[in-house]
Amino acid sequence: MSMTTVIFYILSAILLFAAVRVVTAKNPVHAVLYLVLAFFTSSGHWLLLQSEFLAITLVLVYVGAVMVLFLFVVMMLDINIEQLREGFWRNFPVAVTVGLIMAFEMVLILTNPHTGLADYKAGAALAADASNVKVLGRQLYTTYLLPFELAAVVLLVAMVAAIGLTQRSRKDTKVVDAGDQVKVRSQDRVRIVKMQAEKNVEAADTAESGEQQA
Amino acid sequence: MNWADLNLMPALPELFMSGAILVILMLDAFISDAKRGMHYGLALLTLAVCALLQVQTYPVVPVHTFSGMFVSDALSSLVKLAMYGSTAIVLVYSRQYIADRGLLRGEFFSLALFALLGMNFMVSASSFVSLYMGLELLSLSLYSLIALQRDSVKATESAMKYFVLGALASGLLLYGISMIYGATGTLDLALVAKAIKAHTANDMLLVFGLVFIVAGLCFKLGAVPFHMWVPDVYQGSATAVTLMVGAAPKLAAFVFVLRILVQGLEAMVADWQAMLALVAVLSMAIGNITAIAQTNIKRMLAYSTISHMGFLLLGLLAGTPDGYAAALFYALIYVLMSMVSFGILLGLSRAGFECETLDDLKGLNSRNSWYALLMLLTMFSMAGVPPLAGFYAKFAVIKAIADIHLYWLAVVSVMMSLIGAFYYLRVVKNIYFDEAQDTSAIVMRADMKLVLSLNAIALLVLGVVPERVIVLCMQAMKQSLAAI
């Protein structure tokens, strides 16, 4: 058994353990931490497949950004664990049955010679100085330049939309702006209305009748 | 590909537009609320410059760039010019309406231009990747434009529906594209066409891919049985946004369908012809019959859109260059018609009042006979009454169908168009023969009045002398499809 195979089995064992713990952990914070472990271990698998760029991205994006955000949200929320775990044992037998059937089906298909798994051999080992960061980067910035830039524009639209949809000054807020208060002038608060000193009789009559109607 | 080989000239209008959008976004952060009208001017200026650049770079032969993912040909240039024009007109119509509803913000204009940018890339794409990216850019901008009216429950609901169903349709489309990719091993439309013709691809996989692609495309067009989002989105959105969803995107979606089905999957014409025939008949039937039962005019126009998409598909499924040109002409005329009808609704709405039921149009003639006449022209054109442009457009697509001897389809479409005439004429009856319930004066900005009048008169002029435009459509089709 080569060294790579040994590492593969060790990583797989840790990955499976972490994945099971994500589902079974009582404390949601622990569940998220196990998910971090699962992601980190699967990035090890990417490394074994000589895809160092994907491995690093998985750690940076998922562990570094997404999971930290997730952890933050989980800690902020007041989650009732008892309520979440309600019905776990009741659904357990069905879940196990479904899982076993799925595993059985996969074995059935994958061991069938017609599936042709032999066509998908592991890739040949790359040269020691081969860099898939370089290859990906070259592809993205030459052949796929247009879709790549368009993806950037789509992200910009998402940002504009997110800000446009969420940023608002609440109508019921009672916060006062000190700057506005200092700048206020008497004209803004008091309105001087020019009126005739005397009213003529007819106008007064119609005004009165108007009031009565009202 | 080297940097030195990168030819940016064919994409000059798009590059300028991207830059201009960024400028508008930046300005938005610095100018005060009182000067928000400036965005309006800048957006119109951007569109004018783009149109000018488009005319300057109008290609004699198709030019590919960005590793063959972007193509500038007569078809894309013609459609882009129409889209600049229609977006500009939509902005002119919306100006007062959005100001009354607190939507006159930088985001409205930048998102509208982003949507247009996405449409531009859709019509200019020559690879599945760039087609899909353009589509997503358009869709995302439209979802957020609808949701921009945050305090309206209806708008939020329709944005949500559009978003969820749109994501599903994109998924279907991508699934289909992945199957085509699996079968042919390429994403480039010309190479896909070549691989299918050479019969090196797995036929089973191709047909499966085609089914998913047609389903996704029908959703984007809003054709039956993937039409459920159309009435809800049309009714729930602010009328200005409805117009934005209903005008230029239909043109872009049409070219999108044309590029995939005709340029990429042309060898499978027998397969998609049958599917589109079914979709077209259902769209015309369900669109026209359901529209009769509507009391909300925006909903009625939504069903009318569905039936118009059915007619559009007729030209497409004919599978002949004449048919494609007729369908393109139909799409152009449809955009013109929908702009006048929604323009009138926008003009009749004012702060605190939405003109959206059939009753709101009652007695329009006694309130303002000029607008009544414009609406009359549009409704007659939609119903297909000669000598208006709508008649000629319907005539052209039905002739294309008759030319390939699908007479039953031609008969069905004429019957459906007769059924449709009922609800268009009901609007005319409301305008001319009913008592006005609301007698307040109609106030429109001067620029809107002018553009609206010209827009409606264009329907009459194009109905009498359609030759020039139809010749343009023919030339565009000939040049763009010659490559296959």
Side-chain angles (χ1 to χ4, degrees), chain B residues 9 106 144 188 205 271 303 342 374 406 435 442 474 476 481:
Chain B
M9 282 312 279
S144 27
D188 188 288
L205 205 53
D271 293 307
Y303 281 106
F342 281 103
L374 297 185
L406 281 177
E435 280 294 312
I442 301 166
M474 293 282 256
L481 302 180

Side-chain angles (χ1 to χ4, degrees), chain B residues 340 344 348 361-378 427-428 430-434 436 438-444 449 452-453 456-457:
Chain B
V340 190
I344 296 270
L348 294 182
L361 284 177
K362 277 186 179 167
L364 180 61
N365 186 38
S366 60
R367 292 167 70 193
N368 187 322
S369 51
W370 178 241
Y371 298 141
L373 182 69
L374 297 185
M375 195 64 171
L376 169 98
L377 281 178
T378 315
V427 173
V428 174
N430 273 4
I431 291 175
Y432 279 92
F433 301 107
D434 286 347
D438 172 10
T439 49
S440 54
I442 301 166
V443 192
M444 278 195 209
K449 226 182 268 182
L452 193 62
S453 309
I457 291 169

Side-chain angles (χ1 to χ4, degrees), chain B residues 61-100:
Chain B
V61 287
V63 191
H64 289 262
T65 183
F66 287 115
S67 326
M69 291 199 181
F70 184 94
V71 61
S72 171
D73 52 14
L75 172 64
S76 67
S77 302
L78 181 67
V79 172
K80 277 183 212 171
L81 280 175
M83 292 193 308
Y84 298 141
S86 84
T87 308
I89 294 174
V90 170
L91 288 182
V92 170
Y93 290 173
S94 317
R95 174 70 172 79
Q96 191 59 47
Y97 182 90
I98 57 174
D100 289 342

